[in-house]
Amino acid sequence: MEQLNNISSEQELIIQKARKRIIESMGKNMELYGITQSIGHLYGLLFFQNKPMTLDEMREAMEMSKTSMSTGVRTLVDLKMVNKVWEKGSRKDLYEVEMDWFQTFSDYFSLKWRKALEINLSSLRKSKVELNQLSQQYPDDTALQGILQTDINKIDEAIRYYKWLDRLIDSFETEEIFNLVPKDLP
Amino acid sequence: MEQLNNISSEQELIIQKARKRIIESMGKNMELYGITQSIGHLYGLLFFQNKPMTLDEMREAMEMSKTSMSTGVRTLVDLKMVNKVWEKGSRKDLYEVEMDWFQTFSDYFSLKWRKALEINLSSLRKSKVELNQLSQQYPDDTALQGILQTDINKIDEAIRYYKWLDRLIDSFETEEIFNLVPKDLP
DNA sequence: TGTTTTGTACAGTTTTTACTGTATAAACAG
DNA sequence: CTGTTTATACAGTAAAAACTGTACAAAACA
């Protein structure tokens, strides 16, 4: 690891232990971000690396295959948790963590939430149209109307929720959320 | 399904199709809530059921084992997405969905986020103490101090992020979030 | 109390996901 | 252009998760 060769091994041990605690804690909790424990661990490793890392360095540190490092780091890049960086002279790809966790957090949940929102909202609306058409077709069928009204009410309530979620996501994407819930207390 | 026997089979078909689209859409997106597709599907089934359901009814509708229904519905109850309800006369357990999706959403993410927050914050603080101690022990070792400062800065930035997340979760739990991002636009 | 019904623990099976090693395509240096 | 290095596609294997059926314990009823 980077400049740790300038200090005593006793000191290094303490630092490594302190880092390891955090890295493993990250690894455990990264399932929240839908990533596996070992990819979470990889993230933690990159977090404390003070320079960009190559796939071979990761492979060595993680004691895993290069293929796993390649797919793992790609996942992290897709989630914008890690960035690919360029360094002249090196023909290896280099990666480093995105240090802005506020950004990472809002990127991740914006992405996931919006994906679910779009699919669900589209289904809800399509079904609502069909039920409304059926309703207009048999306006005097009270049994039918009762059922339809129940379903349409549920759909409307769901749509109401998704409209709210849409605005919440907007507040993440525009960073308005940091006005509403400030990064630091005054 | 409940009162669907009072209407023509042609009408029922349209309703079932409309429901099915939504249920399957839910099933697909429920992985966001860390639940499997079939449990998501079960949730969707319960969503359109207009009365509480027993395990046996679920098993029949889902064409799955009763054991799976038992574990599946238990997962949903743990996540507060489904409630166990009591009905005199029946000695079977009955379940129905929590219809307040705002509540479901904030319960789920409060729970998950807070769990991760507590574990990570605790590791970060513990490691920070150790690094600070090491720093005070060798105040003149510039190589060491450089490394320590870098690590401590990272830890501080992470702590800053978690403090923010803590306040965000608070706003979910106190429902203050609905003042900041209102459920309905005026 | 004994009898019946209901939910779940547990072990075994199937399916899915994570991971590895090799083979190959793409990128680069000379 | 040729030779070398690097990342990844792919097929196979190992590990994990989802699901099932049986067997049993807890609860409800008579």
Side-chain angles (χ1 to χ4, degrees):
Chain A
M1 279 202 180
E2 2 74 83
Q3 343 91 315
L4 291 195
N5 33 9
N6 295 324
I7 59 174
S8 82
S9 63
E10 189 198 350
Q11 294 169 341
E12 183 181 340
L13 207 72
I14 294 173
I15 294 176
Q16 294 294 15
K17 196 183 136 207
R19 287 179 175 181
K20 198 178 172 193
R21 179 185 299 113
I22 295 172
I23 291 174
E24 290 188 348
S25 168
M26 283 178 181
K28 267 181 208 134
N29 290 119
M30 277 295 183
E31 64 195 72
L32 209 153
Y33 288 91
I35 63 184
T36 173
Q37 185 159 338
S38 41
I39 299 182
H41 202 282
L42 174 61
Y43 178 86
L45 177 75
L46 283 164
F47 180 75
F48 277 114
Q49 212 67 20
N50 292 315
K51 57 173 178 44
M53 247 183 144
T54 68
L55 290 180
D56 286 304
E57 287 165 347
M58 296 177 207
R59 183 192 50 69
E60 191 177 348
M62 296 281 295
E63 294 179 330
M64 288 177 72
S65 73
K66 199 175 172 183
T67 303
S68 293
M69 296 302 97
S70 176
T71 58
V73 90
R74 200 220 294 246
T75 305
L76 292 170
V77 168
D78 287 347
L79 295 176
K80 296 189 183 173
M81 290 178 174
V82 163
N83 298 312
K84 195 174 193 169
V85 293
W86 294 100
E87 211 169 78
K88 59 185 174 187
S90 167
R91 51 183 190 180
K92 302 196 183 200
D93 294 355
L94 291 161
Y95 300 92
E96 69 183 3
V97 291
E98 170 56 61
M99 280 294 175
D100 186 342
W101 284 12
F102 298 98
Q103 194 63 44
T104 300
F105 176 87
S106 80
D107 278 351
Y108 178 80
F109 286 104
S110 296
L111 191 80
K112 293 285 173 179
W113 289 347
R114 198 170 286 294
K115 187 175 148 249
L117 182 149
E118 278 168 4
I119 296 177
N120 283 342
L121 207 46
S122 146
S123 304
L124 286 163
R125 288 186 166 140
K126 201 176 283 183
S127 289
K128 185 180 172 179
V129 167
E130 290 173 5
L131 296 179
N132 273 331
Q133 280 169 352
L134 186 61
S135 171
Q136 285 166 17
Q137 224 174 324
Y138 305 93
D140 304 325
D141 187 335
T142 49
L144 176 70
Q145 289 296 332
I147 296 166
L148 287 176
Q149 209 43 59
T150 312
D151 279 22
I152 290 171
N153 284 346
K154 286 180 184 175
I155 291 174
D156 281 339
E157 192 57 28
I159 290 175
R160 176 174 173 246
Y161 159 76
Y162 278 120
K163 279 183 175 168
W164 170 80
L165 183 59
D166 194 27
R167 291 200 304 281
L168 181 67
I169 299 170
D170 280 348
S171 82
F172 277 37
E173 288 178 343
T174 62
E175 306 200 1
E176 170 68 10
I177 189 69
F178 300 120
N179 294 331
L180 305 174
V181 180
K183 288 186 184 179
D184 299 289
L185 287 185
Chain B
M1 280 203 180
E2 1 73 85
Q3 343 91 316
L4 291 195
N5 33 9
N6 294 326
I7 59 173
S8 82
S9 63
E10 189 198 349
Q11 293 169 342
E12 184 182 339
L13 205 72
I14 292 172
I15 293 176
Q16 294 295 15
K17 196 183 135 206
R19 287 180 175 180
K20 199 178 171 194
R21 178 185 299 113
I22 294 172
I23 291 174
E24 290 189 347
S25 168
M26 283 178 181
K28 266 181 210 137
N29 289 295
M30 278 294 184
E31 64 194 72
L32 208 152
Y33 288 90
I35 63 184
T36 173
Q37 186 159 339
S38 40
I39 299 183
H41 202 282
L42 173 62
Y43 178 88
L45 177 75
L46 284 164
F47 180 75
F48 277 114
Q49 212 67 18
N50 292 315
K51 54 174 182 45
M53 248 182 143
T54 69
L55 290 181
D56 286 304
E57 287 166 345
M58 295 177 207
R59 184 191 50 69
E60 191 177 348
M62 295 282 293
E63 294 179 330
M64 287 177 72
S65 74
K66 200 174 172 183
T67 302
S68 292
M69 297 301 96
S70 175
T71 57
V73 91
R74 199 221 294 244
T75 304
L76 291 170
V77 168
D78 287 346
L79 294 176
K80 297 189 183 172
M81 290 178 173
V82 162
N83 298 313
K84 195 174 192 169
V85 294
W86 294 100
E87 211 170 77
K88 59 184 172 188
S90 166
R91 53 180 186 180
K92 301 196 184 201
D93 293 356
L94 290 161
Y95 299 92
E96 70 183 2
V97 291
E98 169 56 60
M99 280 296 176
D100 186 342
W101 284 12
F102 298 98
Q103 193 63 44
T104 299
F105 176 86
S106 79
D107 279 351
Y108 178 79
F109 287 103
S110 296
L111 191 80
K112 293 285 172 180
W113 289 346
R114 198 170 286 293
K115 188 176 148 248
L117 182 149
E118 278 167 5
I119 297 176
N120 283 340
L121 206 46
S122 146
S123 305
L124 286 164
R125 287 186 167 140
K126 200 176 284 183
S127 289
K128 185 181 171 178
V129 167
E130 291 173 3
L131 296 180
N132 273 331
Q133 281 170 349
L134 186 61
S135 171
Q136 285 165 18
Q137 224 173 325
Y138 305 94
D140 303 324
D141 187 335
T142 48
L144 177 68
Q145 290 296 333
I147 296 166
L148 287 176
Q149 209 43 59
T150 313
D151 278 23
I152 291 172
N153 284 345
K154 286 179 185 176
I155 291 174
D156 281 340
E157 192 57 29
I159 290 175
R160 176 174 175 244
Y161 159 75
Y162 279 119
K163 280 184 175 168
W164 170 81
L165 184 59
D166 194 28
R167 293 200 304 279
L168 181 67
I169 299 170
D170 281 347
S171 81
F172 276 39
E173 288 178 344
T174 62
E175 306 200 3
E176 170 68 8
I177 189 69
F178 301 119
N179 293 330
L180 304 175
V181 180
K183 288 186 185 179
D184 300 289
L185 285 186

